[in-house]
Amino acid sequence: MRVGIGVSTEQDHIKAVKEAAGKAIADLNTEKIDLALVFTTGEFSHSLVLQAIAGIIGPIPLLGASSAAVISSQGTLKHGFIIILFSFSESTYFNADCVKDITLETTLSAGVELGQKLLYGCKNARRNLSVIFSNIDTPNSSSLITGLQQKLGRSFPLIGATVPKNTDHQENFLYFNSQILNNSACGILWGGKLKFNLGIEHGWQPLGKPRYITRATADIVNEIDGLPAVNLYKEYFAKEIPELKRELKRISVFYPLGISISEKKEYLLRSVVSIENDGSLVFRGEVPEGSSIRLMISSKESCLLSARSAAQTAIKDMEGKTIKLALIFNSLSRQALLGRQSAQEIKTVQEVLGENVPLAGIYTSAEQAPLDFINYSLGKTYIHNNSIAVLTIAN
Amino acid sequence: MIILLIYALTILPLALLLIYKIQNVNQLRSQVLGLKKSLDDMDEQAKLIVRTDMELNKIQEELDKKITGLYALQRLSRIISMTLEEEQIFKRIQPEYLNDLGFEKAFGFLWDDEEKQFVLHFCLGYSDDETKKIKSFINNNKERCVNFIADEKTLSSISQNNNLITPEELNGVFNVRSFIVSALLPHQNKKGLIFVGTKNAEIVLTEGDEELIKILATQLAQALENARLFEKTWRAQQELEKKVTERTHELTVAMEEVKKISARKTDFVSSVSHELRTPLTSIKGYAAILLTGKLGDLPKDVRERLEKINRHSDELVHMVNNLLDISRIESGRVTMKAEICNLKEIAAKVEDLLSGQLKERKLDLITEISPDANLILADRTQIERVFINLIGNAMKFTPPEGKITIRSHKPKNMIQVDVSDTGCGIPIEAQEAIFEEFYRVDNTINQEVKGTGLGLALVKYIVEAHGGKIWVKSAVGSGSTFSLTLPTTS
């Protein structure tokens, strides 16, 4: 496998495409291009950009997404265009596809459909890994993963990034071939010879006493300890609902809930998306009824340590292998928490992986990955919030 | 009885066990209550921690925003101050700086006095249609904008009280939720305004933000002012360069004319001198023949007149020869035959040549030739003429018992010879003119002593023809020093 990466921060979008694609082709050093991944900031999300890419690299499968910021070896870019070109050997194969117009009612079936599409032609072959991009904000986002797992297997490694549909003043989209998509999901399924590893961490710590989810449906938690779910935040912050709504973004970033996973010390984080009038809380990801939860808190230091830890996990078992690429899906909440130190996080990852490992990635609203990738005992993929996922890929 | 005993024996241990269990349960319940209390206490502490943490996070965010804004302002100030072109100043306001300042939309207008309207100089974050709408809005509300600029204010959505921009205009024209607008006030340039805004409802503007944009406006105004001053200076310099070129051309033309005239003069002097020399030779010859007495004895009066003719003829021949030499050197017809010459020998020869006159005038000639400044590369005959002229002049203007000194030394790559006297000196105003042809200082000695006014001119031509220089230092009554430089043998 060969990988070529091109990055541009040119203001002119077409110039940026030309510059980055030119660099990626030069870096790839072969005429055979099999697949392209594209990560951009929101302002690049228009069809002319995709046309310009196709004009340079030809009609090859292309997937990607836009967000508030992208990640490269240069650091975090608030205006940037990244293209990653792959050229696979005959022993590695892949399939890429997408599902569009996902609604609340069709999230599960969309997951099943995408799983089916990805498996097309790969049924009897050994499949390794799937990377999924999505930009849905229905309050049952876990269903997409559930649907995919129904087809690909519950413990099959799915690594995913959900990009926010809007960030501040910018709309974000998914890219699939020549299409710019909203409310969609697209993915790649890899099989054959491909070595990869994942580290995912968040760095938040539990605070206060445990509580129990007494009524919940998918991503919506109605009651905690028999009381309206919002009471938890009302108690902790001594604020009423209108004030909590005003502070929601800050609360979502800094104080998510942590779901205790019985087999692990680790907590699965859930950030609040909205506060409903009946006192229910909508989270980014499923919160099962009966779960033991705690309020979580973090610090810049703990956040940076978790990024280091994720990177360290991602290079375990990679001795003797040349890491061709490290894909990073990093939560926008971490960027908000770290503030001016957010650049330090990517530096830390680069430092652990080594300066020769090219980085590429995107900032996310949610991440999908198994809890424990190394032991594989908990191979099931979950939705994560406020986490950094580092996926290393080698031959 | 037995049954009762058996019953009692069975019940009693059970009762004891029950009492023990109840005690245990009570103990556990008390422990649970203790733990619950601890957990509740811990939770209360957690609440305090969370609230404090939230406050700290807010402060940190505000601080981060301020620092990021200040950095952006500092970088922006630096790059706009690095250009001196008006349009470049505005082009350097890039979206990244704007974002770091907390805004995504911005524009700037400057008032055009000729067109009597505001001209848009930069616009970021707006589509073409939005830009057109803003342009027409600003120019349809000229008076409002001009008054705002005249007030030299910075206003924002938190401080304007809807006086400057109504909520409808904010939404309909400028498409922002929060904004800051500041007057651009260069001292002597087109005035204008800069507007920054954001649609982001979460951004809450502060007075600090207003202050930052005010500083940015001041920096822009300063940069515009600098650009104007630079342009003015540049134009003045261009004008000056043009004038200098014109004058240089005029001078070149005039110089060519002077050269032509000078060449014509040289030719004229040369041919006249030649023409004069032939009859002069005849006059002198005939006078000499008559004086020999071969054509018969001459009466005393006639002899005296003939001797005068002979003497004046000699002077005239000398003068004509000098003129011819000058014109030859001027026209380049004479080339200096450079050879290694010994200054001591030349001085001795000249001293020998003039010893009679020196003795007659009771003058002392001192020669101080330094050993390291003795050898020169020059035309011996011409240099001898230089010395004869200079010492001859010194003799003329130095009263009896006076002193004439020839001194040499080596200042850098040339040898300098100074010929000093203790004579009457030369007035400052005449010190340059004495090297011109036919110039004679107006003093009593010159009125008494005859001279052509060509000697020093000839000396100057000869020295310069050797690549040297000649100058004089003198004061009336304090003698004169003529200094000349000549090439060394190296």
Side-chain angles (χ1 to χ4, degrees):
Chain A
M1 177 182 67
R2 283 171 181 269
V3 178
I5 298 185
V7 181
S8 177
T9 53
E10 264 282 344
Q11 289 297 326
D12 183 298
H13 300 169
I14 304 303
K15 274 188 193 167
V17 169
K18 285 179 182 168
E19 186 191 351
K23 283 183 193 168
I25 290 168
D27 193 24
L28 189 69
N29 201 20
T30 175
E31 284 181 6
K32 181 179 164 282
I33 305 170
D34 295 314
L35 174 70
L37 282 184
V38 172
F39 300 128
T40 76
T41 44
E43 60 276 16
F44 285 93
S45 303
H46 57 79
S47 54
L48 286 176
V49 167
L50 295 185
Q51 278 175 31
I53 300 171
I56 297 168
I57 61 171
I60 60 152
L62 178 149
L63 291 92
S66 62
S67 185
V70 289
I71 297 160
S72 79
S73 292
Q74 296 169 20
T76 299
L77 306 174
K78 286 183 179 173
H79 170 87
F81 177 92
I82 303 172
I83 184 164
I84 309 141
L85 300 178
F86 294 87
S87 181
F88 298 112
S89 65
E90 282 181 4
S91 54
T92 307
Y93 63 88
F94 73 94
N95 196 11
D97 221 313
C98 79
V99 281
K100 294 184 254 183
D101 305 321
I102 302 170
T103 62
L104 181 65
E105 291 74 29
T106 63
T107 315
L108 180 70
S109 60
V112 174
E113 187 190 337
L114 183 59
Q116 207 156 3
K117 282 178 170 179
L118 291 176
L119 279 175
Y120 181 77
C122 304
K123 278 207 166 164
N124 299 319
R126 183 186 152 221
R127 51 187 192 270
N128 275 337
L129 168 74
S130 185
V131 173
I132 307 292
F133 301 104
S134 59
N135 69 340
I136 53 170
D137 56 4
T138 54
N140 60 346
S141 52
S142 309
S143 300
L144 184 78
I145 300 299
T146 311
L148 274 161
Q149 284 169 338
Q150 282 179 18
K151 284 291 159 189
L152 301 176
R154 275 176 64 82
S155 63
F156 180 73
L158 280 171
I159 314 287
T162 302
V163 291
K165 289 169 89 171
N166 293 291
T167 41
D168 296 338
H169 44 86
Q170 194 76 53
E171 275 191 291
N172 300 305
F173 298 90
L174 291 192
Y175 304 129
F176 183 70
N177 293 337
S178 59
Q179 301 170 75
I180 290 183
L181 305 172
N182 209 345
N183 299 316
S184 304
C186 58
I188 315 156
L189 181 77
W190 269 292
K193 278 191 175 178
L194 193 73
K195 174 77 180 166
F196 53 89
N197 212 345
L198 175 86
I200 181 160
E201 298 279 344
H202 54 69
W204 263 255
Q205 299 298 326
L207 187 77
K209 67 181 182 185
R211 287 170 168 80
Y212 293 90
I213 304 295
T214 45
R215 194 155 65 87
T217 317
D219 301 359
I220 305 168
V221 175
N222 309 101
E223 286 180 7
I224 297 171
D225 285 346
L227 295 168
V230 74
N231 280 23
L232 176 94
Y233 282 99
K234 278 166 75 175
E235 266 183 43
Y236 271 106
F237 294 99
K239 290 182 196 295
E240 288 306 310
I241 293 178
E243 220 178 331
L244 284 175
K245 282 187 175 176
R246 276 200 298 278
E247 298 274 12
L248 188 64
K249 193 177 175 187
R250 194 171 280 113
I251 288 171
S252 174
V253 167
F254 294 113
Y255 314 103
L257 288 190
I259 306 170
S260 174
I261 307 288
S262 55
E263 298 91 335
K264 292 268 292 177
K265 280 185 186 172
E266 192 86 4
Y267 284 80
L268 198 59
L269 297 190
R270 289 289 176 263
S271 302
V272 188
V273 177
S274 65
I275 299 168
E276 302 301 297
N277 290 335
D278 64 352
S280 302
L281 298 173
V282 181
F283 289 91
R284 269 194 199 98
E286 189 186 18
V287 186
E289 211 169 84
S291 309
S292 167
I293 52 118
R294 289 178 80 178
L295 192 76
M296 306 293 280
I297 193 167
S298 188
S299 66
K300 289 182 180 7
E301 195 185 3
S302 166
C303 202
L304 290 173
L305 279 173
S306 68
R308 178 174 292 276
S309 170
Q312 281 165 343
T313 311
I315 53 169
K316 271 184 191 165
D317 294 343
M318 282 290 197
E319 288 89 2
K321 302 272 178 196
T322 305
I323 300 172
K324 297 280 183 179
L325 172 70
L327 274 181
I328 298 174
F329 301 144
N330 196 12
S331 172
L332 279 163
S333 298
R334 299 174 71 82
Q335 196 189 29
L337 174 81
L338 287 166
R340 292 179 53 76
Q341 285 185 42
S342 66
Q344 188 58 42
E345 187 175 35
I346 304 305
K347 269 189 196 165
T348 304
V349 172
Q350 184 81 72
E351 197 181 293
V352 175
L353 300 184
E355 61 180 26
N356 295 327
V357 174
L359 307 185
I362 194 158
Y363 279 88
T364 55
S365 54
E367 308 75 46
Q368 294 89 37
L371 276 173
D372 190 336
F373 207 72
I374 298 289
N375 298 327
Y376 231 91
S377 56
L378 292 162
K380 186 191 165 194
T381 288
Y382 290 88
I383 289 184
H384 299 253
N385 293 163
N386 298 22
S387 302
I388 180 167
V390 182
L391 176 69
T392 49
I393 302 174
N395 273 331
Chain B
M1 193 62 184
I2 292 165
I3 293 165
L4 271 173
L5 191 65
I6 292 164
Y7 185 72
L9 284 171
T10 315
I11 288 294
L12 196 63
L14 282 173
L16 287 171
L17 188 68
L18 186 65
I19 290 164
Y20 176 72
K21 286 282 179 193
I22 288 168
Q23 276 178 342
N24 266 354
V25 166
N26 282 340
Q27 205 176 347
L28 280 172
R29 189 173 289 153
S30 144
Q31 279 177 357
V32 166
L33 282 174
L35 278 173
K36 190 176 176 303
K37 191 174 178 304
S38 296
L39 262 180
D40 286 342
D41 288 348
M42 192 182 79
D43 209 40
E44 288 307 311
Q45 287 165 3
K47 285 171 191 169
L48 278 176
I49 292 169
V50 164
R51 286 168 204 165
T52 313
D53 188 65
M54 184 128 157
E55 286 310 311
L56 285 174
N57 278 328
K58 276 187 195 172
I59 294 166
Q60 180 74 53
E61 271 177 40
E62 192 58 31
L63 206 62
D64 271 6
K65 191 182 148 194
K66 286 263 156 53
I67 293 170
T68 308
L70 280 170
Y71 268 120
L73 185 65
Q74 187 244 349
R75 281 180 290 149
L76 200 49
S77 300
R78 197 177 64 233
I79 60 156
I80 59 174
S81 64
M82 279 161 66
T83 180
L84 289 166
E85 282 178 59
E86 192 175 291
E87 281 312 304
Q88 280 296 322
I89 292 168
F90 290 110
K91 274 186 186 161
R92 294 193 175 197
I93 305 173
Q94 292 290 323
E96 60 188 278
Y97 300 118
L98 203 57
N99 288 339
D100 284 350
L101 285 166
F103 304 94
E104 74 276 1
K105 292 171 190 284
F107 58 79
F109 281 89
L110 289 179
W111 175 253
D112 189 322
D113 231 6
E114 286 173 12
E115 300 286 328
K116 299 286 174 214
Q117 64 171 5
F118 282 99
V119 177
L120 182 70
H121 282 259
F122 83 98
C123 191
L124 293 173
Y126 287 105
S127 67
D128 290 348
D129 287 343
E130 286 175 322
T131 309
K132 274 181 200 164
K133 208 190 268 185
I134 290 166
K135 268 189 201 170
S136 66
F137 176 86
I138 295 288
N139 279 307
N140 289 339
N141 292 276
K142 279 177 204 167
E143 203 179 331
R144 214 196 299 180
C145 296
V146 167
N147 289 340
F148 166 74
I149 293 165
D151 285 348
E152 301 188 2
K153 275 184 180 171
T154 298
L155 287 177
S156 74
S157 35
I158 54 163
S159 61
Q160 64 139 356
N161 299 325
N162 300 332
N163 294 333
L164 185 68
I165 303 173
T166 65
E168 294 75 34
E169 289 164 349
L170 200 60
N171 195 35
V173 182
F174 301 107
N175 193 17
V176 291
R177 279 175 185 266
S178 310
F179 76 92
I180 301 173
V181 60
S182 187
L184 286 175
L185 300 160
H187 292 304
Q188 295 172 32
N189 207 349
K190 295 178 263 182
K191 295 184 178 5
L193 56 88
I194 175 176
F195 174 102
V196 294
T198 177
K199 268 177 93 173
N200 192 341
E202 285 164 18
I203 289 181
V204 181
L205 295 184
T206 61
E207 282 180 14
D209 293 314
E210 266 189 39
E211 198 54 41
L212 279 187
I213 299 307
K214 194 175 175 180
I215 294 169
L216 175 63
T218 311
Q219 297 280 356
L220 279 170
Q222 187 58 53
L224 288 169
E225 188 64 20
N226 291 345
R228 192 194 64 82
L229 285 172
F230 174 76
E231 199 180 330
K232 199 177 164 187
T233 313
W234 187 78
R235 279 181 199 282
Q237 192 194 330
Q238 291 295 104
E239 197 64 29
L240 199 66
E241 273 181 18
K242 198 179 155 194
K243 279 184 182 163
V244 167
T245 311
E246 281 170 10
R247 294 288 178 275
T248 309
H249 179 71
E250 284 169 17
L251 280 172
T252 311
V253 171
M255 199 65 178
E256 287 301 316
E257 196 58 33
V258 168
K259 275 184 188 169
K260 277 182 198 167
I261 292 166
S262 177
R264 277 206 293 273
K265 181 208 80 179
T266 306
D267 290 346
F268 171 75
V269 170
S270 176
S271 55
V272 166
S273 303
H274 274 293
E275 292 305 318
L276 280 173
R277 209 157 56 166
T278 313
L280 265 175
T281 310
S282 299
I283 293 166
K284 190 178 156 47
Y286 287 124
I289 290 165
L290 287 171
L291 279 171
T292 56
K294 284 179 184 171
L295 298 176
D297 287 337
L298 297 172
K300 191 185 171 194
D301 290 351
V302 175
R303 177 171 289 276
E304 280 174 5
R305 300 296 187 278
L306 273 173
E307 276 171 354
K308 269 191 179 179
I309 289 170
N310 200 18
R311 200 166 57 248
H312 287 298
S313 295
D314 280 345
E315 283 167 6
L316 214 51
V317 167
H318 182 64
M319 186 180 172
V320 167
N321 283 342
N322 275 352
L323 270 173
L324 268 172
D325 285 341
I326 289 170
S327 65
R328 278 193 201 122
I329 296 169
E330 252 189 341
S331 65
R333 286 201 295 270
V334 172
T335 49
M336 298 295 147
K337 291 169 192 162
E339 58 180 311
I340 296 170
C341 305
N342 189 314
L343 270 178
K344 268 185 190 168
E345 284 174 15
I346 293 172
K349 187 177 175 187
V350 173
E351 189 178 0
D352 189 46
L353 200 71
L354 300 172
S355 58
Q357 292 171 52
L358 285 164
K359 199 174 176 182
E360 192 184 316
R361 291 185 64 83
K362 295 177 183 168
L363 294 172
D364 199 5
L365 179 68
I366 303 159
T367 305
E368 292 174 2
I369 304 293
S370 153
D372 66 330
N374 185 29
L375 297 180
I376 56 166
L377 195 66
D379 187 317
R380 180 184 295 272
T381 316
Q382 299 297 342
I383 292 304
E384 280 173 6
R385 292 180 76 182
V386 167
F387 278 86
I388 289 167
N389 264 295
L390 289 176
I391 295 162
N393 278 348
M395 282 163 56
K396 255 191 240 174
F397 298 103
T398 305
E401 311 296 337
K403 201 166 71 178
I404 299 165
T405 312
I406 304 169
R407 199 175 279 121
S408 82
H409 57 106
K410 195 179 176 186
K412 290 193 181 173
N413 300 324
M414 300 290 276
I415 284 174
Q416 185 176 325
V417 182
D418 301 325
V419 178
S420 310
D421 62 53
T422 53
C424 60
I426 305 160
I428 290 173
E429 63 274 13
Q431 286 178 9
E432 268 189 41
I434 52 170
F435 294 104
E436 288 170 17
E437 292 154 42
F438 302 110
Y439 184 88
R440 299 198 77 205
V441 179
D442 187 15
N443 58 22
T444 46
I445 298 173
N446 267 339
Q447 283 161 15
E448 288 168 11
V449 180
K450 286 185 179 175
T452 59
L454 288 171
L456 282 175
L458 182 65
V459 164
K460 186 171 184 271
Y461 280 118
I462 294 171
V463 171
E464 286 177 354
H466 279 86
K469 278 181 187 173
I470 184 163
W471 66 97
V472 65
K473 272 186 188 173
S474 180
V476 175
S478 303
S480 306
T481 299
F482 283 83
S483 301
L484 56 104
T485 55
L486 290 166
T488 63
T489 49
S490 57

